[in-house]
Amino acid sequence: MKRISIILLTLIAASATFAQRKITLDLRRTIEIAGDSSLQAFRNQNLYMSGYWEYRAFRAERLPSLTLNLTPASYNRYITQRYNYEENIDVYRAQQMYSASGGLRINQNFDPLGGTFYLETSLNYMRNFGEVKSTQFSTIPVRIGYTQQLLGFNQFRWDRRIEPVKYERVKKEFLYNMEAVSEDAVKNFFALALAQAEYRLAKDNLASCDTLYTIGERRFKIAAISQADLLTLKLDRVNAQNTLENSRIALKRAMFTLATYLGMEKDTEIEVILPGVPPAKNISADMALIHAKDNNPTLLQHKQNILEAKREVNRTKVEQRFNANLNASVGYNQVAGEFSQAYRNLLRQDLVSLTLAIPLVDWGVRKGRLNMAKNNLNVIEIQARQDEISIEEDVIMTVSDFNIQQRLVESADEALTLAETAYSQTLQRFIIGKADLNTLTLSLNRQQDANKNYVSSLQNYWLSYYKLRKLTLFDFDTNMPLSNKFDLMNSVR
């Protein structure tokens, strides 16, 4: 009894596992799974997160930073040169010293001028060993200062212009790549749908050929058809069997490809449900161009490249002139032999430093760098314009293809209905002897072609739709940019 229970549980588990490997998918669900589970989707997600954290680091650099600098212990034993006042000579003496230091520093970048404000406090301890022993504490209770290049290159200002564009490009590149995933999902979905349709047609064709051959045998016995017609029916049945086997192989291959792409088990049995005739959408080429110029990541990449090239022009232009560095601070300090005295009777500590670096002769190096930067900017601007024209042409052609595909889907649906009705009536007429074999074969071929054309027209429609979404990053169902939907979803999280 126990063994029977184990066998039953094993069979139930096996049947449950087998049931899990059967799945029915429509187009929308296929695209959702591809966006969540495909390897390409994981790659896109990691590329986006890399750009996201880079942007977060840029934002963090705009905030104050607090740094703790510590040297807990430093021991130094050495021989040094000292002046002997009694004998008026220099002598070498052994020296031992232990020291420790610590300090806190707050930095705040000031983007408009490109400088840095700082606030710091520090404590230093030093203990000398040897002939003369001494202990000292050096303190800076507080010091506030500012440092910057007066006429130099302002990296902070350019970062404020470039980094938001860079992040926007990363985000929209992620959305663009995810729409490419949707495109691939559509291709694999309809490849399986077409293989599935061909397999079903092959099964129906084989059943029809069996029926027709049986009818033909009966009609041949009463001399209603010739032997050549009977052999033709038999040949059709053999060909139908071969076609069924080939379509079964193609079906398994298409099923394997889709399952692998969606990250499922390779032996998952997938049945796809074709979408119906889509509702008509009125998409204007002018509106699609506006969305493409706003959202296409290639154009944003060129915008970033142009800003970076202008930054290099500005950098090389500034480096042609002399450079001046300013460092100014005000604070208090004190030195004492005891820690309690190191923070008493504080002394004023002021610092103003101005340094200059003036290029005199460089044999045209800086001028050459400036000209190279300007030429590079011109090349990038020309390339950006060329790509913009190419994208505009692609968008216009895709909108035109999409609008045509809408009409073709409706026409293919109507043709399929007519072909199925015509074949059904021709088959009935053949059975009662009012249609010949050639007419029946021609009607069957038309029905099969109409079925394939309908699946192909649906595939072309949805491929055009998702290509248009990819080029414009705009959801034409909800009339909302995909970046806005992305921001809403991430703000909820």
Side-chain angles (χ1 to χ4, degrees), residues 1-224:
M1 187 67 182
K2 185 177 180 181
R3 182 177 298 176
I4 294 174
S5 300
I6 294 175
I7 294 174
L8 288 174
L9 289 174
T10 303
L11 290 174
I12 292 172
S15 63
T17 302
F18 181 75
Q20 289 174 356
R21 292 179 180 173
K22 286 186 176 181
I23 186 171
T24 302
L25 295 176
D26 58 11
L27 180 60
R28 184 178 298 276
R29 181 57 182 157
T30 301
I31 293 173
E32 288 176 355
I33 296 175
D36 289 337
S37 305
S38 65
L39 292 177
Q40 187 63 32
F42 287 134
R43 177 180 179 274
N44 296 339
Q45 182 70 24
N46 282 279
L47 287 174
Y48 165 72
M49 292 306 298
S50 176
Y52 169 77
W53 286 112
E54 184 177 354
Y55 181 67
R56 283 286 299 270
F58 157 74
R59 294 290 300 272
E61 289 175 353
R62 311 277 74 76
L63 302 175
S65 63
L66 177 63
T67 305
L68 173 63
N69 297 309
L70 290 175
T71 304
S74 175
Y75 176 74
N76 194 1
R77 181 174 183 176
Y78 58 100
I79 295 177
T80 186
Q81 183 179 346
R82 290 285 186 270
Y83 176 71
N84 190 323
Y85 291 97
E86 297 178 354
E87 300 180 7
N88 195 26
I89 59 173
D90 289 333
V91 297
Y92 287 105
R93 292 181 179 177
Q95 187 77 23
Q96 297 183 62
M97 183 184 69
Y98 171 83
S99 64
S101 63
L104 282 174
R105 183 183 177 104
I106 299 176
N107 287 330
Q108 173 62 65
N109 296 329
F110 187 60
D111 294 346
L113 297 179
T116 302
F117 288 101
Y118 60 88
L119 176 67
E120 64 180 2
T121 179
S122 63
L123 171 64
N124 297 279
Y125 168 77
M126 183 174 63
R127 171 71 173 174
N128 289 311
F129 303 93
E131 295 180 2
V132 179
K133 298 181 175 57
S134 65
T135 300
Q136 284 188 317
F137 291 89
S138 172
T139 64
I140 300 178
V142 62
R143 180 168 67 177
I144 185 171
Y146 180 76
T147 178
Q148 82 157 75
Q149 291 183 346
L150 290 179
L151 301 175
F153 174 71
N154 189 344
Q155 180 71 37
F156 297 152
R157 185 179 64 186
W158 282 102
D159 285 347
R160 285 179 68 89
R161 295 179 63 185
I162 293 174
E163 290 300 326
V165 176
K166 190 175 181 181
Y167 171 68
E168 192 68 18
R169 189 264 305 169
V170 168
K171 181 175 68 173
K172 291 182 177 178
E173 198 170 65
F174 167 72
L175 296 172
Y176 182 92
N177 292 333
M178 292 306 296
E179 292 304 307
V181 169
S182 299
E183 263 192 306
D184 292 337
V186 170
K187 291 177 184 177
N188 292 327
F189 176 89
F190 278 102
L192 178 56
L194 187 58
Q196 187 175 279
E198 290 180 346
Y199 177 72
R200 289 173 180 170
L201 288 174
K203 285 179 65 178
D204 295 340
N205 189 30
L206 179 58
S208 177
C209 288
D210 284 335
T211 301
L212 293 177
Y213 182 68
T214 302
I215 295 173
E217 283 183 321
R218 291 200 299 264
R219 295 178 65 182
F220 177 72
K221 290 179 182 180
I222 61 174

